[in-house]
């Protein structure tokens, strides 16, 4: 083979390796002796960031994971002056650090000392430990600025997801939520900053120079993902959920104009920095906003009301009589409501009236609205084929299950006078706003188109009914003084054991609706599940969230 060709092949392979390998920066920056020195270099250098990866930001550019450079303990095994002495000191003064001799002592291979690579030691934000370690002046154990991905103020944990290792891979990757779904966009190629000790030729740290952080410039490969979430509203939602003692459930806030998610929180929660000890307890890994579905209960009456008003089966003033039960289908009301109008039947959530209305609509018309127009499909192997199935479906039991996002999307349609947006792929169309690469921001998904599901007349009648529900009916605890609100409560049975869930879905303010919210509570700390009740427990969560958002806007 001609020499020139061999040369070209070698150059080409080197370039190719360089471009695809994560060691690219080291090869270029550290020079051609990298291959020999790589281990040597790795024992002395350390990426100044936990993950080689773009950030996940809120709509205003604020990190949702609370990613930041924080003073962090970094241990460089190769640079420790006396391992046994240091371990003794740590055991005596900071026993909670729990460092193993094996992690820092060199191994001997072919008579050569091989040192472990540097690593970080997490102590949260315990400043006392950081100060103590700094004061030791131990060259191999230092406190330096280091970018950790998840901080104490990490928000929307279940929507963001977490990092982990798949199939025994050595490369960490996104395991759930946006971290997983946007892995290819977030994933970078090399650190943007590295920490390196300043040493002489013999590998001793130069007195007084210590460490420095090398800025390697932007990693072209990685992008930030900008979500539609507003971290201020997200914080409000999480605070209210915790203050109200919601230990299982989900809350979502939609922007009515765009249909985008402004906030979404699930409980229970896990710690993204401590999965080993916090993941998998009480289903805390479950995201309860987008993909999680349960019986809607009476909030589902909104759909039957749309169908009945639009089809001319009822007007808000049509009179009904409730005896307290529909004997054929074991559907009951808490009491006999007596004579009431259709509007009052919604206000008091009268099951008997709604079953009667739904049965006069019939299977075809119910399916036209629930399935075709609103896109809510029956659970597998269920349908509205019998009158009994229709009776249960109408009051949100047995036949249909919905996610909080689906309910918030429906109440947003009500607030928009019947202009509906399909959910499509909500992780992409409702949660991600843009992708940012360097200074370039590109819109990610287009806002789904609106289609008008029902007439303006029906829209206005329905809004008046749902407003009355909050003014004087079952949604009283969701009424917002000075601004008003409209919506519906729900208390579906979880099972045949007398356990309930509490739902509320509504929008506010009445004049120019801005926020559509769905609240699902499956468990409140200290409360028996048989006592959960939509109007009593979920309604006030909606009210509190809206009131705090309004205060935020007025600031
Ligand atoms: Zn009734």
């Amino acid at each position: 083979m001609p020499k020139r060709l061999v040369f070209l092949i070698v150059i080409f392979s080197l370039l190719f390796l360089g471009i695809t390998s994560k060691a690219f920066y080291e090869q270029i920056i550290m020079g051609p002796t990298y291959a020999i020195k790589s281990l040597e270099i790795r024992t002395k250098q350390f990426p100044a960031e936990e993950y080689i990866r773009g950030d996940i930001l809120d709509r205003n550019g604020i990190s949702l994971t609370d990613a930041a450079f924080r003073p962090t303990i970094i241990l460089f095994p190769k640079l420790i002056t006396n391992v046994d002495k240091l371990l003794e000191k740590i055991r005596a003064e900071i026993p909670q650090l729990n460092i193993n001799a094996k992690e820092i002592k060199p191994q001997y291979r072919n008579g050569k000392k091989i040192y472990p690579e540097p690593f970080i030691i997490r102590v949260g934000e315990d400043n006392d430990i950081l100060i103590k370690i700094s004061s030791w002046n131990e060259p191999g154990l230092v406190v330096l600025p280091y970018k950790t991905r998840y901080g104490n103020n990490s928000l929307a944990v279940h929507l963001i997801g977490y990092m982990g290792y798949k199939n025994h891979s050595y490369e960490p990757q996104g395991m759930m939520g946006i971290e997983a779904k946007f892995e290819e966009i977030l994933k970078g190629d090399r650190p943007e900053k590295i920490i390196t000790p300043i040493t002489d030729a013999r590998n001793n740290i130069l007195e007084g120079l210590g460490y420095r952080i090398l800025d390697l410039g932007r990693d072209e490969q990685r992008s930030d993902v900008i979500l539609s979430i507003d971290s201020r509203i997200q914080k409000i939602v999480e605070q209210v959920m915790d203050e109200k003692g919601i230990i299982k459930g989900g809350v979502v806030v939609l922007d009515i104009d765009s249909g985008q998610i402004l906030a979404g929180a699930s409980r229970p929660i896990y710690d993204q920095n401590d999965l080993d000890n916090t993941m998998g307890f009480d289903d805390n890994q479950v995201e309860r906003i987008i993909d999680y579905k349960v019986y809607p209960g009476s909030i589902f009456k909104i759909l039957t009301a749309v169908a009945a008003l639009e089809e001319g089966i009822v007007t808000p003033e049509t009179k009904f009589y409730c005896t307290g039960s529909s004997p054929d289908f074991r559907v009951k009301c808490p009491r006999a409501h007596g004579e009431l109008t259709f509007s009052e039947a919604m206000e008091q959530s009268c099951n008997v009236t709604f079953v009667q209305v739904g049965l006069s609509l019939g299977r075809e018309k119910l399916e036209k609205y629930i399935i075709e127009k609103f896109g809510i499909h029956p659970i597998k192997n269920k349908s509205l084929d019998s009158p009994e199935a229709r009776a249960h479906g109408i009051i949100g039991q047995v036949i249909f299950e919905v996610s909080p996002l689906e309910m918030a999307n429906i109440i947003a349609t009500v607030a928009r006078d019947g202009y509906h947006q399909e959910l499509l792929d909500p992780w992409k169309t409702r949660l991600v706003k843009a992708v940012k690469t360097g200074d370039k921001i590109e819109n990610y998904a287009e806002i789904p188109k609106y289609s008008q599901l029902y007439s303006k007349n029906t829209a206005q009648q329905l809004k008046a009914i749902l407003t009355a529900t909050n003014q004087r009916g079952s949604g009283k605890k969701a009424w917002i003084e000075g601004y008003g609100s409209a919506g519906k409560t729900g208390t579906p049975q979880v099972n045949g054991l007398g356990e309930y869930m509490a739902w509320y879905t509504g929008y506010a303010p009445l004049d120019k609706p801005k926020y559509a919210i769905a609240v699902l509570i499956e468990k409140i700390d200290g409360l028996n599940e048989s006592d959960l009740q939509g109007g009593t427990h979920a309604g006030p969560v909606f009210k509190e969230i809206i009131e705090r958002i309004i205060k935020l806007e007025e600031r």
Side-chain angles (χ1 to χ4, degrees):
M1 208 186 285
K3 256 189 183 166
R4 223 171 69 98
L5 187 58
V6 175
F7 179 69
L8 277 176
I9 290 170
V10 170
I11 290 290
F12 187 79
S13 331
L14 275 178
L15 275 175
F16 183 73
L17 272 174
I19 289 160
T20 53
S21 147
K22 69 174 173 147
F24 176 59
Y25 79 98
E26 287 166 316
Q27 293 187 19
I28 300 303
I29 289 164
M30 303 308 156
T33 51
Y34 173 78
I36 309 156
K37 277 196 175 166
S38 66
L39 193 66
E40 173 77 15
I41 286 170
R42 284 210 303 274
T43 57
K44 287 199 300 181
Q45 283 187 346
F46 196 61
E49 48 187 347
E50 189 177 9
Y51 298 106
I52 311 305
R53 203 169 171 80
D55 288 327
I56 301 174
L57 307 171
D58 88 340
R59 57 169 55 222
N60 299 312
I62 295 164
S63 168
L64 284 164
T65 65
D66 193 20
F69 277 89
R70 300 185 168 83
T72 304
I73 303 170
I74 305 176
L75 198 149
F76 291 77
K78 184 167 187 154
L79 302 171
I80 290 169
T81 39
N82 183 329
V83 170
D84 294 320
K85 225 169 135 186
L86 178 67
L87 284 172
E88 206 175 292
K89 202 169 177 184
I90 290 172
R91 264 195 296 274
E93 296 187 37
I94 323 174
Q96 65 267 43
L97 281 198
N98 202 8
I99 295 168
N100 214 304
K102 246 168 89 188
E103 291 174 282
I104 54 179
K105 280 194 169 167
Q107 291 186 340
Y108 291 87
R109 245 179 259 159
N110 304 327
K112 230 185 145 214
K113 268 190 186 178
I114 312 272
Y115 284 92
E117 292 178 24
F119 59 92
I120 67 160
I121 300 169
R122 281 183 209 282
V123 293
E125 277 162 34
D126 192 331
N127 285 328
D128 291 346
I129 296 182
L130 300 181
I131 291 165
K132 184 172 267 177
I133 284 182
S134 300
S135 73
W136 288 355
N137 281 325
E138 163 58 54
L141 184 65
V142 288
V143 177
L144 291 168
Y146 175 81
K147 189 176 181 184
T148 45
R149 188 164 187 83
Y150 306 112
N152 286 346
N153 297 312
S154 179
L155 294 167
V157 165
H158 297 82
L159 296 181
I160 301 296
Y162 57 92
M163 296 295 292
Y165 297 85
K166 236 177 240 174
N167 308 324
H168 311 292
S169 156
Y170 292 107
E171 291 278 347
Q173 57 185 299
M175 300 297 280
M176 289 270 263
I178 293 294
E179 294 277 31
K181 290 175 200 289
F182 285 77
E183 171 71 22
E184 289 310 312
I185 289 172
L186 289 163
K187 196 170 69 181
D189 185 42
R190 56 157 177 84
E192 293 185 338
K193 289 185 169 68
I194 53 172
I195 297 168
T196 182
I198 303 170
T199 56
D200 62 16
R202 285 187 179 162
N203 217 4
N204 300 313
I205 291 200
L206 289 172
E207 197 72 41
L209 288 180
Y211 291 78
R212 62 179 169 158
I213 295 185
L214 283 180
D215 193 332
L216 304 182
R218 204 170 72 70
D219 167 16
E220 306 279 339
Q221 198 57 49
R222 67 174 86 176
S223 299
D224 297 336
V225 174
I226 301 177
L227 301 190
S228 54
I229 286 179
D230 183 326
S231 57
R232 298 166 306 171
I233 296 177
Q234 179 72 31
K235 241 179 246 171
I236 289 174
V237 166
E238 302 209 21
Q239 276 164 1
V240 171
M241 286 177 85
D242 293 340
E243 285 169 22
K244 300 274 183 192
I246 299 171
I247 52 176
K248 196 175 257 186
V251 174
V252 61
V253 181
L254 286 188
D255 173 58
I256 289 172
D257 273 348
S258 66
Q260 288 180 326
I261 297 175
L262 291 172
S266 306
R267 291 291 183 273
I269 211 160
Y270 55 86
D271 181 349
Q272 289 150 314
N273 280 329
D274 187 17
L275 300 173
D276 285 352
N277 294 309
T278 65
M279 173 70 87
F281 295 94
D282 213 9
D283 289 337
N284 68 352
Q285 73 282 11
V286 177
E287 181 280 318
R288 290 168 197 273
I289 301 301
I290 298 179
D291 296 326
Y292 185 70
K293 297 187 182 202
V294 296
Y295 293 149
S298 292
I299 53 173
F300 215 59
K301 286 177 180 147
I302 294 168
L303 302 192
T304 301
V306 168
L309 291 166
E310 185 72 0
E311 294 291 327
I313 303 272
V314 296
T315 70
E317 290 76 38
T318 306
K319 287 226 163 74
F320 293 88
Y321 194 86
C322 167
T323 57
S325 67
S326 301
D328 299 349
F329 312 115
R330 286 183 286 153
V331 169
K332 284 184 180 145
C333 286
R335 63 185 173 87
H337 287 112
E339 194 185 68
L340 75 184
T341 64
F342 181 67
S343 177
E344 286 163 345
M346 181 73 97
E347 293 162 36
Q348 296 169 43
S349 205
C350 175
N351 290 334
V352 172
T353 298
F354 268 82
V355 166
Q356 195 183 326
V357 170
L359 292 180
S360 23
L361 273 163
R363 176 178 184 173
E364 214 173 287
K365 282 182 180 142
L366 283 171
E367 286 182 346
K368 176 177 154 193
Y369 286 86
I370 298 172
I371 301 172
E372 286 166 38
K373 286 183 184 267
F374 283 101
I376 308 291
H377 292 266
I379 300 169
K380 212 176 160 210
N381 300 326
K382 305 267 185 207
S383 71
L384 294 176
D385 58 353
S386 69
E388 187 175 358
R390 294 196 278 282
H392 288 141
I394 288 156
I395 60 165
Q397 294 284 162
V398 188
I399 310 296
F400 298 97
E401 286 182 331
V402 296
S403 66
L405 179 61
E406 280 175 325
M407 276 329 298
N409 194 45
I410 287 170
I411 204 72
T413 299
V414 173
R416 279 190 223 105
D417 289 332
Y419 284 88
H420 185 69
Q421 286 174 298
E422 257 184 89
L423 272 181
L424 302 170
D425 181 354
W427 284 92
K428 292 183 175 165
T429 62
R430 300 303 183 99
L431 188 56
V432 177
K433 237 178 128 62
V435 170
K436 182 171 177 248
T437 312
D439 297 327
K440 207 176 74 201
I441 298 180
E442 268 179 288
N443 278 347
Y444 182 74
E446 273 180 45
I447 292 173
K449 289 195 174 63
Y450 299 97
S451 58
Q452 192 179 0
L453 294 195
Y454 50 87
S455 69
K456 194 102 192 162
N457 188 40
T458 295
Q460 270 156 12
Q461 289 177 333
L462 182 65
K463 280 171 120 173
I465 292 172
L466 294 174
T467 302
T469 302
N470 278 7
Q471 263 174 322
R472 53 175 186 250
S474 59
K476 242 187 270 178
K477 289 182 172 165
W479 180 253
I480 293 153
E481 218 46 66
Y483 296 88
S485 63
K488 183 74 191 82
T489 59
T491 313
Q493 290 181 25
V494 182
N495 46 34
L497 305 170
E499 288 181 2
Y500 293 90
M501 292 175 276
W503 271 104
Y504 184 82
T505 188
Y507 64 85
L510 280 182
D511 167 48
K512 286 206 181 157
K514 228 173 146 180
Y515 305 102
I517 297 185
V519 177
L520 166 66
I521 306 175
E522 291 167 274
K523 203 168 166 65
I524 288 184
D525 201 12
L527 188 86
N528 204 304
E529 276 98 317
S530 59
D531 296 329
L532 265 178
Q533 219 262 332
T536 312
H537 300 109
V541 173
F542 165 87
K543 176 188 164 89
E544 190 67 35
I545 289 169
I546 293 281
E547 284 180 343
R548 290 194 199 180
I549 295 175
I550 289 170
K551 251 185 226 155
L552 184 83
E553 287 174 340
E554 285 168 351
R555 245 192 278 167

